Amino acid sequence: MFAAADFPWWIAGGYAIELAVGRELRPHGDLDVLVLRRDQARVRDLLTDWDLYVADPPGMGRLRPWRSGETLQPPLHDIWCRRTPEAPWSVQLMLDEAEGTHWVSRRTPRIRLPIERLGRRSGTGIPYLAPEVQLYYKAKATREKDEADFEAVLPLLGEPQRMWLANAIAVTVPDHPWRQRLTPPDAHK
């Protein structure tokens, strides 16, 4: 579906972690895809035949149609997608911010990365969110599956990725237990 996209996009969520580790970790109910907010009109055009709903307001469990031509402004960032009104939800689109050549976390503009470092590519060329960025998002409200994702990908993170993640978590969830495991013991003094 996104192979024809002329804008950057990345598989996100649990599938991003699985693409990083190279194996399946658990079943999934849908596919998460991250796109930059500035590309939302192009996403809308790509999915013109789909049934699209925006979570409005975010986190409240309410959906409303994403109208053709509508530009979603912050804090709106989750779009639920299904092929037809009768089909199950199959894709969750997440809009994230960008300034020039940098990705900017929608949670706080203090967390950012060059867009070229936001993702990786699988051996078959599928773009996915860098595991440290995906874990940053999972750290906000950690669930059992997020802990499993952290355990699976932690051995694959190099020192720069561990430090970036530890620093990003320190900004938004300073007392998160993952920080202790990401940094050397002498860094906590």
Side-chain angles (χ1 to χ4, degrees):
M1 164 172 73
F2 280 87
D6 62 350
F7 53 86
W9 59 275
W10 302 267
I11 298 295
Y15 278 121
I17 299 297
E18 290 180 356
L19 286 167
V21 299
R23 62 183 163 78
E24 185 177 325
L25 299 173
R26 66 172 174 280
H28 301 273
D30 66 355
L31 176 66
D32 298 335
V33 178
L34 182 91
V35 296
L36 300 176
R37 183 177 300 278
R38 65 187 180 199
D39 295 321
Q40 67 179 287
R42 293 155 80 185
V43 172
R44 187 76 176 83
D45 289 344
L46 184 69
L47 301 176
T48 192
D49 295 332
W50 283 62
D51 193 34
L52 307 174
Y53 280 72
V54 61
D56 186 7
M60 300 301 291
R62 287 182 274 188
L63 299 175
R64 67 161 176 83
W66 184 19
R67 296 176 300 279
S68 180
E70 177 184 11
T71 300
L72 301 176
Q73 299 296 328
L76 303 178
H77 63 271
D78 277 330
I79 303 149
W80 290 74
C81 313
R82 57 188 174 188
R83 290 193 181 273
T84 67
E86 298 79 28
W89 300 113
S90 57
V91 176
Q92 181 181 359
L93 287 175
M94 293 163 291
L95 302 178
D96 235 338
E97 310 308 320
E99 291 177 5
T101 59
H102 282 78
W103 161 82
V104 180
S105 169
R106 67 179 173 267
R107 293 188 181 154
T108 176
R110 292 172 50 199
I111 307 299
R112 53 183 64 225
L113 272 175
I115 292 171
E116 76 244 6
R117 288 188 40 214
L118 185 58
R120 311 268 190 290
R121 285 204 176 263
S122 72
T124 58
I126 299 169
Y128 64 93
L129 202 55
E132 63 272 20
V133 177
Q134 185 58 64
L135 289 173
Y136 162 71
Y137 277 115
K138 287 175 168 282
K140 180 181 177 186
T142 310
R143 303 159 294 186
E144 187 176 323
K145 65 183 179 179
D146 303 320
E147 292 291 346
D149 288 348
F150 178 79
E151 292 296 330
V153 84
L154 182 61
L156 304 177
L157 296 179
E159 188 66 23
Q161 292 82 23
R162 286 174 177 245
M163 291 308 299
W164 182 91
L165 179 56
N167 292 334
I169 291 173
V171 171
T172 54
V173 193
D175 59 345
H176 199 288
W178 288 355
R179 289 186 59 226
Q180 298 290 323
R181 303 208 33 226
L182 288 165
T183 56
D186 60 343
H188 301 287
K189 294 178 182 175

